[in-house]
Amino acid sequence: MTATTAKPTEHLNIVLVGHVDHGKSTLLGRLYADTGSLPDGRLEKVQAICRQQGKEFEYAFLFDAFLEEQEQGITIDTARTFFTWNTRQYIIIDAPGHKEFLKNMISGAARAEAALLLIDAAEGVREQSIKHGYLLSLLGVKQVGVVVNKMDLVGYRQEVFEGIETEYRDFLAQLNVVPERVVPVSAKYGDNIVTRSERMSWYRGPTVLETLGLFRKETARAEQPLRFPVQDVYKFDARRILAGRVTAGRLKVGDRLVFSPSNKTANIKSVEAFNIEPQPIEAQAGQSIGITLDEQIFIERGEIASRQDEIPLVSTAFRANLFWLGRRPLERGKKYVLRLATREVDCEVAAIHRIIDAADLNQRQGASAVGRNEVADLTLRAKSPLSFDLYGSFETTGRFVLVDDFDIAGGGIITELVHDEQEFLRDEARRRDFAWVKGEVGLEERAQHFGHRAAVVLVTGAAHTGKSFLARKLEAFLVAEGRHAYLLDAENLRRGLDADLSQSQKADSAEMVRRYGEVARLLIDTGLIVVSTTNPFGLAHHQVIQAIRTLVHPAPVIAVHMSKTEEEPPPGTDLHFAGPKDFDAAARRILEELKRKGVLAHAIGAKPTFQYSI
Amino acid sequence: MNRLRQLEDQSVYILREAYKHFDNLAMLWSMGKDSTVLLWLARKAFLGHVPFPLLHVDTSYKIPAMIEYRDRLAREWRLNLVIGQNKEALTAGMNHTLGRVTCCTALKTDALKQLVEEKGYTGIILGVRADEEGTRAKERYFSPRDKNSEWDFRDQPPELWDQFKTAFPEGTHIRIHPLLDWTELNIWEYIKLENIPFIDLYLDRGDGTRYRSLGCAPCTFPIKSTAKTVDEIIEELRHTTIAERSGRAQDEGRGMELLRKDGYM
């Protein structure tokens, strides 16, 4: 038999997994050799190297590229190889089975649409057979073919095969995985790989090659609701292009988009492309595209565009199943970087509900850390709200990785939204933003005109720490610099806007903060820098900071805390001044922070061209 | 969806991630078919622009037609071309007769290292493909190199779900490989689809041979072929079982493993 030469009309990524030494590389070598898919001279070259080193040739050596892999007879890292059969191109990912290389196995399996899982007939179901099966289900690989290898070692006996088949099917059933086929083979002798085995005439199912043909290509994502995570914003020429990849659904020119979590809305003006005639007017899941909008709104990387009636979830917390690959354990309370689609945000583990021992699916509760190669059910809490989906509904926006130090150290799928205390305010802000009646002048134009962006500087602290003095000084500094700033004192709201409220209504701290936040939101929309003190609310400082941030989102809130002596500032504080004597210096420090956050351009009068970095 | 467009979408995504995360980014361009497709994909990703310099590591032994082609495209596509050369080694008389791996190391690996060090690049985009040879089949899209540009293939970081390694310690750099999933056939089909200009050394110009892979003149040999058009190359590749790099001398024995571990492209 030789490889077919017809033009492939589709391609499929297949991963090969299983316990170490169960024969993955041998199976791969055999599959290529028996289908005539090896390049000329490959077999001879490897055979020559074997002769030179005085060892017996094995099919496994064909793809174990590193000297070390061949010497130790194990695959260290995932290899990608290609072959074409019956108009389909297969990209076969050979993943290492050794426990130590689990991160490489996961890197390989995460790319796959289907998996072949090998089990050694002589050894039966082993630790990594179970673990790999479990990880495949976590990684979302639902199509699995099980290959029972080394049947030659058990005399090609049917009852050995059936014992393993029953045991492994029962295990997969717990994960809701139904294997496509279970195939008895001997990779070494080529039984049931490409040609049907005469030594196992009792088996009537497909060969490994035929099993590959049974795997289906998944194509349904374009029919889902739209998800378009923003990857970058380009301004190489006159066009302001939002770049990104559509991860679900489709979009077209004229569609109204909502960006979460900022709640900004705009219509698609064009779909931009290079060397495509005529210019496209639509795009669908999988495509990397660029779009322009009909109005200039501030959008940054990490926001997810959708339609208004199908927005993703927004919260600071969610529950997830996570596998951990880091050298150091994942610890509760420690900071990690969470990356979900194009969003990157600091997070911490709020709770570890249970650790699942992937070797036998036993569960352990009360752990405070997740060790290397363990799987956990946990709750993550992010520093600022992010948009996401449940993995059951959306693949790309329903999963995430955690970065520890410089490396990706874990990955997970989101199973549940966890409500946070900002939810009511966030819903209010969203409803208000969606229905907001806009004038002809947008925020971008106001920023160009003023030479700065809108922002809130929120000064918190106990009485007599100099909050009001600093706020006044800052306002004066800003205006003297030619900026447009306004001191918003909550006391003024009480005497005017809130004058008709009863004493008990005025004592409702949460409501007072909400009103204050909504007034700040109005001023933000005029393009001002709002400088404020927060004395009268009677809430904890961090609650006030959070509430105002939610209501004026996505405009930046710079939280400045004042205290008489050194003390721990409230969570979410950007700047802390303990017993300041030089208020001019403190105000200048705040100006620096405004520049750093992209609110003020670095030179007076220069047009700020950068995005917010919240 | 068309396979070539899927490959394009993935490569564009990778290029955009690289551009977003690396302040000092550059792309290696050897003028061969792969790195020229890569350059074209950058123009796709950035809508006609190439927002980073293109590095050519000039061994001085390249085929002259390649240099003409380089300068022409650099002009037409307004490219920021940066040329690196290990002048010291060349002055000392380095050439392939001193040993192919020795020569490749001095004129390519070391020249690239010098360039990376001098310019402080933290991200280098390269056009290597998994189907070229064994060690490249094991590469990550974003692959770290240490202070000496060495590749620790024993301990590569995890890479999943299009989340890439973009953080790295000072003094190290990341090699970015947007073409990993492409095959040689895909490259030619894409050149045809997009009508990308390429060097005619890849075609039979009348003597019944053509270059299938381009490198330095002394170490690159043409193959027997009568393919005179892109269509004929594509037809030939659908039937061939001869390895693409069979005309590349440095691949003999374990040449590529040794070279690539030490920072070869």
Side-chain angles (χ1 to χ4, degrees):
Chain A
M1 259 192 233
T2 55
T4 53
T5 49
K7 186 176 163 57
T9 51
E10 68 174 23
H11 74 287
L12 200 69
N13 288 290
I14 309 265
V15 69
L16 216 51
V17 297
H19 197 80
V20 63
D21 239 4
H22 282 195
K24 293 177 296 297
S25 300
T26 307
L27 174 81
L28 188 66
R30 181 56 93 161
L31 190 63
Y32 277 63
D34 289 2
T35 52
S37 305
L38 289 171
D40 278 358
R42 176 85 188 180
L43 200 64
E44 292 76 13
K45 179 179 169 179
V46 176
Q47 282 170 336
I49 292 176
C50 285
R51 263 198 308 281
Q52 205 182 337
Q53 294 170 356
K55 59 181 182 191
E56 197 186 334
F57 166 78
E58 286 181 33
Y59 280 97
F61 297 160
L62 286 168
F63 294 107
D64 280 343
F66 298 125
L67 188 59
E68 201 170 322
E69 291 183 322
Q70 294 182 8
E71 280 178 348
Q72 293 190 26
I74 53 168
T75 304
I76 292 174
D77 213 323
T78 304
R80 265 174 266 213
T81 55
F82 303 75
F83 93 101
T84 300
W85 193 261
N86 282 349
T87 75
R88 191 187 251 179
Q89 184 190 47
Y90 294 95
I91 295 107
I92 304 221
I93 304 155
D94 181 15
H98 199 286
K99 197 172 164 180
E100 201 184 318
F101 305 126
L102 196 69
K103 67 184 163 78
N104 297 340
M105 176 268 169
I106 283 176
S107 301
R111 288 190 206 112
E113 294 156 275
L116 283 180
L117 192 145
L118 262 76
I119 297 173
D120 184 326
E123 291 201 6
V125 177
R126 299 293 300 271
E127 183 191 340
Q128 298 301 312
S129 321
I130 299 281
K131 191 154 204 162
H132 287 181
Y134 184 55
L135 285 170
L136 286 176
S137 79
L138 262 187
L139 290 164
V141 183
K142 290 178 194 79
Q143 303 188 76
V144 180
V146 178
V147 178
V148 179
N149 189 24
K150 304 195 189 180
M151 286 299 292
D152 52 300
L153 296 183
V154 296
Y156 298 101
R157 290 204 310 277
Q158 186 174 2
E159 68 272 18
V160 176
F161 169 73
E162 283 173 354
I164 292 171
E165 177 178 10
T166 307
E167 182 183 353
Y168 205 67
R169 273 187 191 275
D170 288 350
F171 161 69
L172 288 179
Q174 296 176 55
L175 309 173
N176 296 320
V177 174
V178 179
E180 191 66 46
R181 285 294 188 274
V182 184
V183 189
V185 311
S186 165
K188 191 171 177 185
Y189 297 107
D191 293 281
N192 285 340
I193 306 296
V194 171
T195 45
R196 191 156 289 283
S197 170
E198 287 170 10
R199 287 173 284 218
M200 289 181 280
S201 53
W202 45 263
Y203 173 75
R204 294 196 174 77
T207 61
V208 170
L209 185 64
E210 287 162 348
T211 304
L212 293 181
L214 293 172
F215 290 133
R216 292 164 307 279
K217 180 86 192 162
E218 308 235 6
T219 49
R221 282 188 303 150
E223 308 314 319
Q224 290 186 300
L226 172 69
R227 293 292 181 266
F228 175 57
V230 177
Q231 191 176 7
D232 211 340
V233 181
Y234 298 140
K235 212 164 179 324
F236 296 120
D237 43 43
R239 301 168 293 178
R240 187 164 178 274
I241 294 172
L242 265 59
R245 192 169 194 174
V246 183
T247 62
R250 49 181 91 235
L251 54 77
K252 62 177 191 307
V253 171
D255 282 357
R256 182 143 196 87
L257 297 183
V258 169
F259 294 85
S260 297
S262 75
N263 301 332
K264 301 280 176 188
T265 55
N267 299 320
I268 301 177
K269 187 170 140 199
S270 67
V271 175
E272 299 292 328
F274 170 76
N275 200 42
I276 299 281
E277 292 292 337
Q279 192 172 345
I281 53 164
E282 57 186 10
Q284 64 170 27
Q287 287 184 265
S288 285
I289 58 162
I291 58 170
T292 62
L293 300 174
D294 67 343
E295 55 183 304
Q296 299 225 328
I297 53 172
F298 300 139
I299 297 297
E300 58 175 4
R301 177 181 163 97
E303 301 230 27
I304 299 176
S306 69
R307 280 175 230 290
Q308 189 167 326
D309 51 353
E310 300 165 335
I311 59 169
L313 304 170
V314 175
S315 182
T316 49
F318 57 75
R319 189 161 171 167
N321 286 335
L322 167 138
F323 51 85
W324 187 248
L325 307 166
R327 287 189 189 89
R328 302 180 292 200
L330 173 73
E331 288 173 54
R332 204 170 54 205
K334 213 184 131 201
K335 267 203 179 57
Y336 298 92
V337 173
L338 181 141
R339 292 168 62 172
L340 187 148
T342 56
R343 184 70 195 275
E344 198 170 303
V345 60
D346 285 345
C347 78
E348 60 176 30
V349 179
I352 298 173
H353 308 295
R354 58 201 173 118
I355 306 259
I356 303 145
D357 184 342
D360 54 10
L361 301 192
N362 275 336
Q363 300 182 0
R364 182 156 55 83
Q365 288 174 352
S368 63
V370 185
R372 187 175 203 184
N373 296 344
E374 283 184 332
V375 176
D377 167 11
L378 43 72
T379 295
L380 289 177
R381 190 171 296 283
K383 201 178 153 200
S384 48
L386 72 158
S387 38
F388 57 87
D389 289 295
L390 302 187
Y391 185 73
S393 318
F394 290 88
E395 203 171 73
T396 311
T397 46
R399 62 194 182 191
F400 62 92
V401 298
L402 294 185
V403 179
D404 185 21
D405 217 356
F406 297 110
D407 286 332
I408 289 168
I413 57 176
I414 301 175
T415 53
E416 226 175 89
L417 167 99
V418 174
H419 299 283
D420 62 19
E421 54 194 18
Q422 296 300 306
E423 199 172 287
F424 291 109
L425 285 183
R426 196 176 294 129
D427 281 347
E428 169 186 318
R430 183 182 298 137
R431 279 196 302 275
R432 168 251 278 157
D433 284 349
F434 285 176
W436 196 266
V437 180
K438 292 178 195 168
E440 291 302 311
V441 185
L443 265 184
E444 177 79 10
E445 284 125 296
R446 285 186 206 280
Q448 294 289 332
H449 182 67
F450 286 169
H452 62 79
R453 304 223 181 278
V456 176
V457 178
L458 201 61
V459 190
T460 62
H464 309 301
T465 48
K467 291 194 305 292
S468 171
F469 188 62
L470 178 61
R472 274 153 220 281
K473 185 135 253 168
L474 178 66
E475 183 196 28
F477 269 33
L478 282 164
V479 172
E481 265 200 9
R483 319 289 188 180
H484 301 72
Y486 181 73
L487 183 84
L488 179 65
D489 197 300
E491 194 52 32
N492 296 339
L493 267 57
R494 291 172 74 86
R495 294 181 196 280
L497 182 65
D498 304 340
D500 58 332
L501 299 183
S502 68
Q503 279 312 311
S504 68
Q505 282 171 318
K506 282 184 185 169
D508 180 352
S509 303
E511 175 58 14
M512 291 300 110
V513 174
R514 192 193 69 79
R515 286 171 170 244
Y516 184 87
E518 287 296 351
V519 172
R521 165 67 175 79
L522 273 172
L523 293 177
I524 286 289
D525 206 45
T526 69
L528 290 180
I529 297 170
V530 179
V531 183
S532 132
T533 59
T534 59
N535 249 350
F537 296 130
L539 282 180
H541 296 310
H542 76 273
Q543 287 173 312
V544 175
I545 296 170
Q546 264 194 353
I548 304 289
R549 281 201 166 123
T550 302
L551 287 169
V552 305
H553 183 85
V557 174
I558 288 128
V560 179
H561 189 68
M562 309 274 290
S563 59
K564 284 181 185 159
T565 53
E566 282 295 341
E567 62 175 38
E568 183 71 18
T573 299
D574 296 294
L575 291 174
H576 178 206
F577 300 108
K581 299 207 168 52
D582 187 346
F583 281 80
D584 283 15
R588 276 194 298 273
R589 181 69 193 80
I590 299 171
L591 291 180
E592 279 308 308
E593 187 64 14
L594 286 167
K595 282 183 184 149
R596 206 181 63 75
K597 295 248 180 190
V599 176
L600 302 183
H602 283 263
I604 304 287
K607 292 194 188 328
T609 53
F610 30 77
Q611 296 279 307
Y612 282 137
S613 59
I614 305 168
Chain B
M1 216 199 301
N2 181 307
R3 171 63 176 158
L4 291 176
R5 292 297 179 206
Q6 283 178 4
L7 287 166
E8 179 189 83
D9 288 322
Q10 177 70 358
S11 300
V12 164
Y13 188 81
I14 292 169
L15 284 167
R16 287 172 171 176
E17 283 300 282
Y19 180 64
K20 182 75 207 177
H21 287 285
F22 293 85
D23 292 335
N24 202 350
L25 182 70
M27 179 185 276
L28 220 53
W29 184 34
S30 70
M31 292 83 69
K33 61 188 193 312
D34 302 314
S35 58
T36 304
V37 162
L38 188 60
L39 170 56
W40 187 266
L41 287 165
R43 301 178 83 208
K44 284 266 175 192
F46 308 109
L47 293 307
H49 301 264
V50 184
F52 35 70
L54 290 167
L55 312 184
H56 174 219
V57 175
D58 189 358
T59 61
S60 82
Y61 293 108
K62 292 282 174 194
I63 302 166
M66 295 171 75
I67 304 296
E68 286 163 28
Y69 167 83
R70 177 191 77 189
D71 295 341
R72 180 169 64 82
L73 284 197
R75 233 179 8 255
E76 286 174 9
W77 294 354
R78 298 190 311 271
L79 306 175
N80 173 9
L81 194 63
V82 175
I83 296 164
Q85 199 168 53
N86 187 349
K87 294 205 174 69
E88 203 177 313
L90 280 170
T91 311
M94 176 55 70
N95 69 76
H96 70 285
T97 62
L98 299 172
R100 290 207 158 97
V101 169
T102 313
C103 183
C104 271
T105 301
L107 298 186
K108 290 169 93 175
T109 313
D110 290 349
L112 176 60
K113 279 186 200 175
Q114 287 166 11
L115 203 55
V116 170
E117 200 165 311
E118 184 200 333
K119 305 277 185 181
Y121 297 124
T122 50
I124 310 271
I125 309 168
L126 297 92
V128 309
R129 305 189 334 262
D131 79 325
E132 283 181 276
E133 48 88 33
T135 68
R136 287 175 177 160
K138 292 177 184 279
E139 272 289 5
R140 300 280 195 262
Y141 296 120
F142 283 60
S143 180
R145 294 295 182 273
D146 70 9
K147 286 188 167 64
N148 303 314
S149 286
E150 284 177 20
W151 180 38
D152 185 359
F153 63 79
R154 267 176 234 88
D155 191 18
Q156 298 200 66
E159 182 169 85
L160 57 145
W161 300 332
D162 287 340
Q163 299 289 356
F164 307 115
K165 181 177 168 71
T166 50
F168 49 91
E170 191 147 334
T172 66
H173 74 272
I174 306 271
R175 299 270 174 96
I176 299 142
H177 303 129
L179 293 185
L180 265 196
D181 297 339
W182 295 60
T183 63
E184 185 187 10
L185 184 57
N186 295 148
I187 292 286
W188 283 110
E189 287 171 337
Y190 190 69
I191 286 173
K192 183 186 161 181
L193 178 71
E194 290 283 330
N195 199 18
I196 303 171
F198 64 94
I199 302 183
D200 66 358
L201 294 169
Y202 284 110
L203 300 175
D204 168 26
R205 288 161 302 156
D207 63 351
T209 68
R210 69 176 191 90
Y211 285 94
R212 200 162 150 199
S213 173
L214 286 177
C216 295
C219 295
T220 309
F221 309 104
I223 56 155
K224 280 202 174 59
S225 166
T226 54
K228 291 190 174 64
T229 62
V230 175
D231 280 318
E232 286 171 14
I233 291 180
I234 290 170
E235 195 51 29
E236 179 185 289
L237 290 177
R238 289 216 178 106
H239 296 94
T240 188
T241 52
I242 295 169
E244 174 184 5
R245 294 176 60 89
S246 56
R248 298 293 290 273
Q250 74 262 38
D251 286 30
E252 279 166 25
R254 296 210 149 267
M256 282 303 273
E257 178 177 348
L258 297 172
L259 279 169
R260 297 208 70 243
K261 185 171 80 57
D262 290 337
Y264 187 82
M265 35 297 259

